Amino acid sequence: MDGRMASCLCGSAPCILCACCPASRNSTVSRLIFTVFLFLGVLVSIIMLSPGVESQLYKLPWVCEDGVGTPVGLQGHIDCGSLLGYRAVYRMSFATAAFFFLFTLLMICVRSSRDPRAAIQNGFWFFKFLVLVGITVGAFYIPDGSFSNIWFYFGVVGSFLFILIQLVLFIDFAHSWNQRWLGKAEERDSRAWYAGLFFFTLLFYALSIAGVTLLFVFYTQPGACHEGKVFISLNLTFCVCVSIIAVLPKVQEAQPNSGLLQASVVTLYTIFVTWLALSNVPDQKCNPHLLTHLSNGTFLAGPEGYETHWWDAPSIVGLVVFILCTFFISVRSSDHRQVNSLMQTEDSPPMLEAAQQQQQVACEGRAFDNEQDGVTYSYSFFHFCLVLASLHIMMTLTNWYKPGETRKMVSTWTAVWVKIGASWAGLLLYLWTLVAPLLLPNRDFS
């Protein structure tokens, strides 16, 4: 038993025995374990936001101290414990991002499992866990100073990029879903599969329309909130345009698998990102998530004095979407060439798939090496995606609030514009996947 456990903790993924994990591909096992590392960091961040843990963080050197190490009182209406939770999340995010960035650099240009660095990627899990723990401990002793403000902007950029990655994953999922159900409809000569696609397409568009209606009701006011009205109207218009383009005869001729299912998923995700953006508007009239209360029971509004809900609806939904997308990154095997190009992954040829199945039978009860002839995904890009995921979850858990000069968490227009910009960039990216075969006819987009 001790030997088997040592194989799990210190050996390479192909040598993991059946007592540790079921038979599966080496590439999938490694990605899943790295994702578990990320989820452990997320769990620690969530725990750090709980009131009981926040009270214990006063013992750390960077907690509520000024430059000479003297405890100081906070100005404003957010108590020190709330700030500590957010600052702890910043440091946990820094630790996980630094860990995955280290592997991003280390795994550059790994072509197959024969590369010595592939053994580090697919094994030595116990030692890698110790490295993560060490970085985490060190991160919690970083002097506060300007760290939070600087790391906030890293989070802004990383989260912007990860929002785009999430959209690519949703497009890939919708494409695979559409192609699989259309294939079953042709094989079984059944209209039920067509009806299913029509139902879900209609459902996603209905949810999008309901979402737009709710955004106008809760995030706009007559004679006010003009920015929110413009954002909602523009994104709704853009979604209608890409939906029409997706079913144009020229586009359908160039891309037969393109359809309204993918467009409905993109539309729903765009409305979701718009909701996240409006939940950061620093104006209580236009944002029901901004609430300020003083000890005497009165309420204040505005970016200079309010207390926020740490677990409001946008944060909870954003966390769920993050978990699903990050897990999908770990297990995805796409047959969409444009998505594979964007995500730095490869689709397996039929002959290679057959060889891997034979190898799986031979290696029953353990993870088998399916990358001897070439990696199925870019190790370096995968870790870079986890770096972006670490930054995105930091911004999600902290509601995108920027640490202010008076040690308050301040909502800014920066978060709003970043999310709106990401929604526009995502729509442009989807539009490109539709029209690229028409604009570049000499390239293979099959």
Side-chain angles (χ1 to χ4, degrees):
M1 181 65 182
D2 293 338
R4 292 182 178 182
M5 188 60 63
S7 175
C8 281
L9 298 179
C10 306
S12 60
C15 296
I16 297 179
L17 298 182
C18 58
C20 309
C21 62
S24 58
R25 297 178 179 179
N26 182 28
S27 57
T28 303
V29 171
S30 298
R31 283 182 288 179
L32 283 174
I33 297 178
F34 276 116
T35 303
V36 169
F37 282 5
L38 174 63
F39 286 166
L40 286 176
V42 174
L43 179 61
V44 171
S45 297
I46 294 175
I47 294 174
M48 288 296 180
L49 289 173
S50 62
V53 174
E54 287 173 358
S55 62
Q56 299 297 320
L57 297 180
Y58 281 93
K59 300 177 182 179
L60 296 180
W62 47 268
V63 172
C64 291
E65 295 180 352
D66 57 16
V68 295
T70 304
V72 296
L74 288 176
Q75 304 178 32
H77 311 293
I78 299 182
D79 63 342
C80 186
S82 297
L83 274 177
L84 293 178
Y86 272 29
R87 292 159 73 182
V89 171
Y90 271 47
R91 281 157 175 77
M92 190 66 236
S93 169
F94 174 83
T96 54
F99 174 77
F100 291 120
F101 186 71
L102 174 64
F103 279 90
T104 299
L105 299 178
L106 184 62
M107 297 299 162
I108 292 177
C109 295
V110 174
R111 303 301 183 188
S112 71
S113 60
R114 293 186 176 91
D115 191 308
R117 291 174 295 171
I120 302 177
Q121 167 77 6
N122 300 317
F124 302 100
W125 298 108
F126 177 71
F127 297 107
K128 286 187 285 193
F129 180 74
L130 290 182
V131 171
L132 177 59
V133 171
I135 296 176
T136 301
V137 173
F140 274 84
Y141 284 91
I142 297 176
D144 194 34
S146 58
F147 169 78
S148 296
N149 287 324
I150 295 175
W151 195 238
F152 168 81
Y153 289 105
F154 275 91
V156 167
V157 175
S159 189
F160 174 87
L161 296 175
F162 192 76
I163 289 174
L164 296 183
I165 289 177
Q166 286 184 144
L167 178 62
V168 172
L169 294 174
F170 278 120
I171 294 174
D172 180 31
F173 173 76
H175 170 83
S176 301
W177 182 8
N178 183 70
Q179 194 173 36
R180 187 175 295 109
W181 280 28
L182 287 178
K184 289 184 177 180
E186 294 177 357
E187 290 176 3
R188 304 180 182 181
D189 193 20
S190 172
R191 295 184 178 181
W193 298 102
Y194 294 111
L197 290 175
F198 175 78
F199 170 78
F200 282 105
T201 300
L202 190 62
L203 175 64
F204 294 152
Y205 276 121
L207 291 175
S208 301
I209 295 173
V212 169
T213 303
L214 293 175
L215 291 180
F216 274 114
V217 171
F218 291 103
Y219 292 90
T220 64
Q221 297 292 334
C225 309
H226 301 295
E227 297 89 351
K229 295 176 182 177
V230 171
F231 292 150
I232 299 171
S233 301
L234 279 178
N235 279 358
L236 177 60
T237 303
F238 293 155
C239 289
V240 171
C241 291
V242 297
S243 297
I244 294 175
I245 293 173
V247 293
L248 289 177
K250 289 286 187 180
V251 175
Q252 288 288 304
E253 181 181 351
Q255 295 211 74
N257 291 322
S258 172
L260 286 179
L261 179 64
Q262 296 93 317
S264 66
V265 171
V266 171
T267 298
L268 184 59
Y269 182 73
T270 301
I271 300 304
F272 166 69
V273 175
T274 306
W275 176 40
L276 296 182
L278 296 180
S279 68
N280 285 112
V281 172
D283 185 349
Q284 191 179 27
K285 293 181 180 179
C286 309
N287 186 358
H289 300 288
L290 294 187
L291 294 176
T292 304
H293 64 81
L294 303 179
S295 57
N296 58 7
T298 59
F299 286 80
L300 296 176
E304 292 304 322
Y306 58 79
E307 186 173 279
T308 64
H309 296 289
W310 300 146
W311 297 107
D312 55 10
S315 297
I316 295 174
V317 177
L319 178 61
V320 172
V321 172
F322 162 82
I323 292 175
L324 292 177
C325 289
T326 307
F327 180 76
F328 188 54
I329 290 176
S330 303
V331 299
R332 66 179 297 276
S333 179
S334 177
D335 55 1
H336 194 295
R337 290 192 177 183
Q338 289 171 266
V339 173
N340 284 330
S341 177
L342 289 171
M343 296 298 295
Q344 296 294 300
T345 56
E346 299 179 1
D347 50 341
S348 298
M351 293 182 63
L352 183 57
E353 288 282 353
Q356 291 177 1
Q357 291 177 1
Q358 294 178 0
Q359 187 178 6
Q360 182 174 1
V361 173
C363 300
E364 186 68 30
R366 63 179 183 179
F368 63 92
D369 186 1
N370 64 320
E371 298 180 309
Q372 292 181 355
D373 298 324
V375 296
T376 59
Y377 67 100
S378 169
Y379 291 176
S380 183
F381 186 78
F382 169 73
H383 289 293
F384 181 68
C385 287
L386 295 187
V387 172
L388 300 181
S390 301
L391 297 173
H392 178 72
I393 195 59
M394 177 188 77
M395 305 304 291
T396 299
L397 294 178
T398 58
N399 290 323
W400 285 71
Y401 291 130
K402 178 183 178 182
E405 294 180 357
T406 57
R407 296 196 175 188
K408 293 180 296 185
M409 302 304 294
V410 180
S411 182
T412 67
W413 280 102
T414 301
V416 179
W417 279 106
V418 167
K419 294 180 182 181
I420 291 296
S423 69
W424 293 343
L427 287 170
L428 285 175
L429 185 62
Y430 175 62
L431 180 63
W432 172 252
T433 64
L434 295 176
V435 303
L438 299 177
L439 299 179
L440 302 172
N442 295 328
R443 293 192 59 181
D444 182 16
F445 289 96
S446 60

